[in-house]
Amino acid sequence: MTGLRLLASALVVVAVALFPLAAGNYPVKLLQEILIWGIFAMSLDLLMGYAGMVSFGHSAFFGIGGYVAALALARSPGLVSALLLPAVAAGLVALAIGFFSIRVSGVYFIMLTLAFSQMFHAYTFQVSWLGAEDGLVGIPRPAVPGVDLNSLRGFHGYLLVLVVLAALALWRIVSSPFGHVLRGIHENEARMIALGYAVDRYKLLAFVIAGVVAGVAGSLYTQFNGSITPDAFFWKTSGEALLMVIIGGTGTLGGAMLGAAAFILLQSLVSTYTERWMLILGATFILLVLFAPGGIVGALRGRIGLRA
């Protein structure tokens, strides 16, 4: 089954890579947006689906990555500014926030992480050096030797490589002994403590890893749009990622990407016909919870025996 999964994944990657050759600008940009949000959703799924930490403040790391990339790229448009600095900054912020947040659980964890993200939102919304409510605009894309990232196909290839690397890294993490400990914490934290595991350290490390990946996603979002606004920190950003994870299926990295695709495609399709697309999305979400509580992946498992 593992071989079939690898073959299917390879075919999907090839199809995504060749998509710009057969589609116009708008569908390609829509696919790129799905890939970026898919990375963000996968980082949240590491926390939510594997470690059992439901965070409503995950947008803090998305926004940090986006703003650090915007500031750094404006001064030095290289890969260090585009990827390394946003990842490190998001990781350090995640370490600080996680140090306090993992001390509580349940609704207290949700509200504490939400409070941190809203603090960042309020700050960026008010300070002029970050563009206040207008954010930062006119952000250049990084310069990569031999690749024109300002072209649609060049940026598509660059983005696809990073998505594959992020997915492989997260898959390796959840498949490792560390990932198995996270599942154990999710299922029965008290038992893991009784077995001698330093649960808080595992949770903090998972929190930091998820923050780093979310920071990279935020940086890519800035590069994609050429701008970043305080909305990146808003609770709605975390809420949308949470919906993507649930729609796709928690505890399945592939499900997070599927959920991102379903969410963005539904939003794009319905919003062309009505401004009340959120109402339709809400109804769809209710139907999924009622009839497919395991999300898209859960439904596929039930029908064709898929194992994610």
Side-chain angles (χ1 to χ4, degrees):
M1 193 67 183
T2 301
L4 290 176
R5 286 207 314 251
L6 288 174
L7 177 60
S9 299
L11 290 175
V12 169
V13 171
V14 171
V16 172
L18 296 177
F19 189 74
L21 300 178
N25 287 358
Y26 178 74
V28 173
K29 288 184 177 180
L30 195 63
L31 177 58
Q32 292 174 356
E33 189 175 358
I34 289 171
L35 293 175
I36 294 170
W37 279 95
I39 295 178
F40 185 44
M42 284 192 293
S43 70
L44 180 58
D45 193 31
L46 177 66
L47 282 184
M48 180 178 166
Y50 292 91
M53 296 185 284
V54 181
S55 172
F56 242 95
H58 207 54
S59 56
F61 317 122
F62 185 83
I64 287 292
Y67 269 93
V68 169
L71 294 171
L73 285 170
R75 290 165 173 78
S76 176
L79 288 179
V80 171
S81 299
L83 300 174
L84 181 60
L85 293 181
V88 171
L92 291 174
V93 172
L95 180 63
I97 293 177
F99 178 79
F100 296 101
S101 299
I102 63 168
R103 299 174 185 272
V104 295
S105 59
V107 67
Y108 300 104
F109 179 85
I110 294 172
M111 296 309 296
L112 188 55
T113 54
L114 174 61
F116 277 114
S117 68
Q118 291 305 103
M119 287 169 57
F120 283 112
H121 176 263
Y123 180 76
T124 53
F125 196 83
Q126 295 173 1
V127 296
S128 59
W129 69 280
L130 291 177
E133 64 268 26
D134 294 326
L136 300 173
V137 299
I139 308 303
R141 289 178 178 174
V144 179
V147 182
D148 180 14
L149 295 190
N150 291 313
S151 68
L152 188 68
R153 294 181 182 179
F155 186 75
H156 188 81
Y158 161 78
L159 180 59
L160 180 59
V161 169
L162 293 176
V163 170
V164 171
L165 291 176
L168 286 174
L170 287 171
W171 174 81
R172 184 68 186 90
I173 288 169
V174 300
S175 302
S176 69
F178 173 76
H180 293 305
V181 173
L182 291 183
R183 288 191 181 94
I185 294 171
H186 186 187
E187 294 172 4
N188 194 328
E189 184 172 338
R191 183 180 181 184
M192 298 301 289
I193 294 174
L195 289 173
Y197 287 97
V199 167
D200 284 350
R201 293 181 184 178
Y202 280 92
K203 291 168 68 174
L204 181 57
L205 182 55
F207 200 86
V208 171
I209 293 172
V212 168
V213 178
V216 172
S219 173
L220 291 173
Y221 189 71
T222 296
Q223 296 170 49
F224 173 73
N225 288 314
S227 62
I228 187 73
T229 68
D231 284 346
F233 288 109
F234 200 48
W235 66 266
K236 183 172 174 285
T237 302
S238 295
E240 289 180 350
L242 192 68
L243 281 175
M244 292 173 187
V245 173
I246 296 174
I247 290 172
T250 57
T252 60
L253 296 176
M257 186 64 74
L258 288 174
F263 184 93
I264 292 174
L265 289 175
L266 182 62
Q267 174 184 348
S268 176
L269 178 64
V270 178
S271 62
T272 58
Y273 296 100
T274 175
E275 295 180 356
R276 299 176 181 176
W277 66 269
M278 283 296 292
L279 181 64
I280 298 175
L281 180 64
T284 304
F285 178 67
I286 292 172
L287 291 174
L288 274 170
V289 171
L290 290 176
F291 299 105
I296 296 173
V297 170
L300 291 174
R301 280 174 174 168
R303 287 186 173 274
I304 62 176
L306 177 67
R307 306 177 88 184

